[in-house]
Amino acid sequence: MSKSSSNSPGGSLKKAERFSSSGFILAAIGSSVGLGNMWKFPYITGEHGGAAFFLLFIVCLIVVGLPVLLAEMTIGRGGRGNAATSLFNLTGNKYWKWFGALSVLTAFLIMSYYAVVAGWTFQYTLDSLTGGLSHKGMDYEAHFNDFAGGLMPVFWQAVVMLICGYVVARGISGGIEKFNKILIPGFLIILLVLMARSLTLPGAAEGVEFFLKPDFAKLDSESVLVALGHAFFSLSLGMGCMLTYGSYVKKEQSLGKATIAIGIGDLGYAFIAGLIIFPTVFSYGLQPDKGVGLAFMALPAAFSQMPFGAFFGGLFFILLAIAALTSAVSILEVPVAFAMTQWKWSRRKAASIVASVCFVLGIPAALSVTGSLSGFLIFGKTVFDWFDFSTAYLLMPIGGLVVTLFTGYAWKRAGEEAGLAGFWYRAWMVALRYVAPLLILVVLLYSLFVKPV
Ligand code: PHE
């Protein structure tokens, strides 16, 4: 197997790219902690049952998410290829390669709409810091709709693509690892400052209660599906991301420990995000069920009434922007790594071309939220909603299924590569062979035939 040989594009014989141990953990946490934790998690928790939903999410994360996360990283490190070729390298079977290639397509689609939302955070950061979001009597819903309906989101999406393309073009240790090492510690500091602020607001307790005191009557039949889908999204699974990052991990690193660190990191950030958002929203008498608009409508309204609100609002959107960027970089790396091996492109060329294509693909997504394409519906959904739905509820579960079946049934040496034996190996296999595929299948069938969420 191509253990340390690099199929280095352009013919130059470069050393294979690798993360340092801590660099890998930071980059993987950077990938998993993203808009999913800070923007999506709070609003789906608000819509699907508060604390009870949070508990359900934790269960899904542990029972399905972590085993699949370990499987992805193990396949990547064992196969030392991209999302498609790793599966082939380990079995010599070309069909697996095609299944793996599906995740490259998924990454493409996610990147295209993820960069749009990431772009919104840039505008909102600027607006908050310059006081543009704290006019008296401002209608935040109208403001968001106006902004999202204009052309600025396309501009910001281009900026996001440029930044991500640049970081990815600089490679693994000089680009992705460095970027995460700079941003993630700053991220933690801002997070703690904001948490201290929100927990000391008058009436914060009501928000904490909503988030942490479970009332199981609030759960509905969709809650489990949404929780599972979100566990996948939040851990960056089912689209080759952790697999691709895994292919840059050194042999000596423990993947089991990495899994636990990433799981705790992801859950910890979601927990703190909840402790920032719910107390803030409740403290100003707002409702947490604003859907997609929670972060962009309800929160600016709350910040505008708070002392030094422009400052705290600015911090919050910087936080969102950092979370989004460190994730977007990891999404872009999936098709870039694929293009580098598939077409023997240099990293720079692959990064520029892939980022440009994603940019073009993202334009209709950007314009379809409230803009000129918002009336253009395909089976009742806008282009933006299609990107989200087709990836989170169809393609990512399919990608997850491929990983579980591959590791559970097709590849016999997974335990060895993962460094698992005895009880933990058996538990991992039960999760991969039975629990995860079954649950994923239910999600898939439900979203396909019963009710597209
Ligand atoms: N995990 C990221 C988040 O929570 C999103 C993501 C999905 C990143 C898939 C990479 C791959 O926002």
Side-chain angles (χ1 to χ4, degrees), residues 31-32 34-37 110 114 233-236 239 241 327 330-331 396:
S31 166
S32 72
L35 292 169
N37 304 56
I110 297 186
Y114 201 84
F233 186 82
S234 191
L235 286 173
S236 310
M239 41 76 71
C241 184
S327 297
S330 74
I331 307 176
M396 287 171 93

Side-chain angles (χ1 to χ4, degrees), residues 245-269:
Y245 269 15
S247 73
Y248 306 123
V249 174
K250 291 188 196 135
K251 277 279 173 237
E252 307 79 70
Q253 187 148 3
S254 158
L255 292 182
K257 283 188 191 149
T259 303
I260 294 178
I262 300 165
I264 293 178
D266 190 52
L267 192 61
Y269 277 101

Side-chain angles (χ1 to χ4, degrees), residues 18-31 172-182 184 245 248-250 253 258 262 326:
R18 295 283 181 267
F19 279 120
S20 73
S21 306
S22 60
F24 168 62
I25 305 281
L26 277 183
I29 292 182
S31 166
I172 297 305
S173 63
I176 296 180
E177 181 169 329
K178 228 187 205 164
F179 188 64
N180 279 286
K181 276 193 166 156
I182 297 171
I184 299 285
Y245 269 15
Y248 306 123
V249 174
K250 291 188 196 135
Q253 187 148 3
I262 300 165
T326 51

Side-chain angles (χ1 to χ4, degrees), residues 68-103:
V68 177
L69 170 64
L70 178 59
E72 279 208 17
M73 295 188 299
T74 308
I75 297 173
R77 187 171 73 179
R80 288 285 187 226
N82 58 51
T85 53
S86 289
L87 301 173
F88 174 77
N89 291 350
L90 291 170
T91 52
N93 179 330
K94 66 173 186 303
Y95 294 110
W96 281 114
K97 180 173 170 179
W98 288 112
F99 279 128
L102 195 67
S103 49

